[in-house]
């Protein structure tokens, strides 16, 4: 057992319930800190022991393999708190993005309506630069507070290299755990914000499948048709490996219809990529992170 209070860390914890695709093996250790102070204690121990670690937010864009994770998975979803100051808001990394957006809409703070219906945490949304064609994190983010191996730092948005579903935190150029996020919004009538929210949620319901998934598996290519269209044209809709199936509503979504078997999902991802390469000569880049 690590030399840490038992309430900070648990051993051999299955990861499938912590991801939206609901597959994957167990973490050797799982830490679920409630406070930044607890997180700092855990992080210091990880550095001292030189253990591999992975950060998990809402688990809506990551997949763990059958082998799980051999080190410490740090789950940030218990880090909670929202502070409003005029049109600025500072949010702890574990707050849920979609719920935050809905709350802001009701307060007449506009800028995050596009995030309604996107699962996951605010911290994960920064790392992924989550977004839709209506907006993304880069457009509302001012700065973040991160825990790095050399302590807690504030990082301006300009230095995060946010791009299409990426950031320096995603690529590993910057090592750290997002603790809190400062957003800059603007005032609008709550009724207008809520109207936009309803339109966005309606469109999501029409175009995206329900069920266990990780959202879009692949990024859109920089030019030409989006990944979903390429996958559809390559005949991927309805393809199946085990209980992992390509959605018939949206060809860039895999829906897991039951098992916790990550190998099926990974095999299906390979099959989709190969089909698009063979039929369109395009190598799709993965959006979902396999850990
Ligand atoms: C049904 C569905 C629809 C979706 N629609 C969209 C969409 O429209 N647009 C979009 O952009 N995405 C979409 N996604 C993908 C996903 O919801 C987003 O990428 C989301 O922002 C990921 O947040 P998360 O907290 O779940 O991150 P996770 O999946 O837990 O992690 C994602 C990455 O961020 C890292 N990470 C997470 N939290 C932290 C932290 N605090 N500090 C450091 N690193 C961290 C992880 O290590 C990992 O590399 C969708 C997913 C689903 C299931």
């Amino acid at each position: 057992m690590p030399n840490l209070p038992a309430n900070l860390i648990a051993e051999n914890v299955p990861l499938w319930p912590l991801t939206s695709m609901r597959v994957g093996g167990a973490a050797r250790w799982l830490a679920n800190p409630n406070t930044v102070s607890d997180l700092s204690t855990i992080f210091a121990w990880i550095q001292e022991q030189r253990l591999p670690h992975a950060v998990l937010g809402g688990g809506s864009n990551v997949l763990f393999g059958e082998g799980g994770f051999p080190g410490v998975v740090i789950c940030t979803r218990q880090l909670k708190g929202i502070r409003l100051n005029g049109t600025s808001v500072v949010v702890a990394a574990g707050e849920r993005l979609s719920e935050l957006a809905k709350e802001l809409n009701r307060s007449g703070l506009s800028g995050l309506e596009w995030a309604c219906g996107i699962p996951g945490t605010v911290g994960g949304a920064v790392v992924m630069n989550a977004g839709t064609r209506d907006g993304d994190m880069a457009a509302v983010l001012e700065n973040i507070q991160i825990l790095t191996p050399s302590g807690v730092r504030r990082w301006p948005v300009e230095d995060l290299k946010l791009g299409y579903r990426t950031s320096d935190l995603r690529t590993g150029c910057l090592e750290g755990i997002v603790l809190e996020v400062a957003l800059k919004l603007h005032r609008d009538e709550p009724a207008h914000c809520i109207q936009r929210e309803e339109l966005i949620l309606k469109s999501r319901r029409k175009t995206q499948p329900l069920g266990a998934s990780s959202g879009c598996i692949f990024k859109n290519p920089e030019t030409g048709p989006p990944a979903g269209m390429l996958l559809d044209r390559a005949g991927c809709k309805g393809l199946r490996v085990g209980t992992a199936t390509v959605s018939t509503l949206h060809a860039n979504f895999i829906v897991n219809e039951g098992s916790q078997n990550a190998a099926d999902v990974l095999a299906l991802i390979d099959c989709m990529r190969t089909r698009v390469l063979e039929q369109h000569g395009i190598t799709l880049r993965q959006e979902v992170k396999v850990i």
Side-chain angles (χ1 to χ4, degrees), residues 77-92:
R77 52 181 89 160
Q78 303 303 329
L79 299 177
K80 298 288 190 188
I82 301 175
R83 302 194 305 275
L84 283 176
N85 182 8
T87 52
S88 294
V89 54
V90 176
V91 192

Side-chain angles (χ1 to χ4, degrees), residues 57-78:
S60 62
N61 213 20
V62 294
L63 293 173
F64 289 96
E66 294 300 287
F69 188 74
V72 187
V73 173
I74 305 171
C75 182
T76 56
R77 52 181 89 160
Q78 303 303 329

Side-chain angles (χ1 to χ4, degrees), residues 9-266:
I9 199 150
E11 197 171 1
N12 289 328
V13 182
L15 289 164
W16 67 265
L18 299 176
T19 69
S20 57
M21 186 69 92
R22 303 188 76 75
V23 295
R28 175 81 177 88
W29 306 103
L30 178 78
N32 220 335
N34 289 309
T35 63
V36 170
S37 158
D38 284 351
L39 176 54
S40 303
T41 305
I42 293 158
F43 198 55
W45 175 73
I46 290 170
Q47 305 289 317
E48 188 190 293
Q49 301 292 320
R50 298 173 188 272
L51 290 171
H53 73 277
V55 187
L56 182 68
S60 62
N61 213 20
V62 294
L63 293 173
F64 289 96
E66 294 300 287
F69 188 74
V72 187
V73 173
I74 305 171
C75 182
T76 56
R77 52 181 89 160
Q78 303 303 329
L79 299 177
K80 298 288 190 188
I82 301 175
R83 302 194 305 275
L84 283 176
N85 182 8
T87 52
S88 294
V89 54
V90 176
V91 192
E95 290 287 346
R96 301 206 75 90
L97 180 70
S98 183
E99 274 64 48
L100 172 72
K102 290 176 186 172
E103 207 173 314
L104 294 173
N105 290 343
R106 277 142 194 83
S107 306
L109 286 170
S110 174
L112 214 60
E113 293 91 328
W114 54 267
C116 293
I118 300 185
T121 62
V122 169
V126 170
V127 175
M128 296 306 301
N129 188 22
T132 68
R133 70 172 90 95
D134 297 317
D136 62 12
M137 287 304 283
V140 287
L141 193 62
E142 281 199 310
N143 59 65
I144 59 170
Q145 192 188 55
I146 48 174
L147 178 63
T148 70
S150 49
V152 175
R153 301 270 179 276
R154 197 155 282 281
W155 222 263
V157 61
E158 301 77 41
D159 294 350
L160 276 175
K161 300 219 179 64
L162 295 172
Y164 168 55
R165 302 301 161 263
T166 191
S167 67
D168 269 1
L169 284 157
R170 173 72 166 92
T171 57
C173 289
L174 172 62
E175 191 195 339
I177 303 175
V178 182
L179 302 175
E180 65 176 33
V181 168
L183 305 174
K184 186 78 188 157
L185 302 155
H186 58 272
R187 292 235 171 258
D188 197 355
E189 289 297 320
H192 294 164
C193 298
I194 293 169
Q195 201 175 21
R196 285 191 287 274
E197 168 185 320
E198 282 166 358
L199 283 175
I200 283 162
L201 288 173
K202 196 170 158 196
S203 150
R204 275 189 178 274
R205 281 192 289 268
K206 260 208 291 203
T207 54
Q208 296 185 357
L210 295 172
S213 83
S214 299
C216 287
I217 298 292
F218 298 103
K219 293 187 187 193
N220 292 324
E222 275 157 29
T223 54
M229 194 180 284
L230 294 170
L231 289 155
D232 190 5
R233 288 183 189 157
C236 290
K237 279 185 173 170
L239 277 182
R240 167 183 284 268
V241 177
T243 60
T245 311
V246 179
S247 164
T248 49
L249 190 60
H250 192 319
N252 202 4
F253 273 61
I254 291 177
V255 177
N256 172 22
E257 292 175 349
S259 102
Q260 293 139 23
N261 191 348
D264 289 350
V265 175
L266 298 177

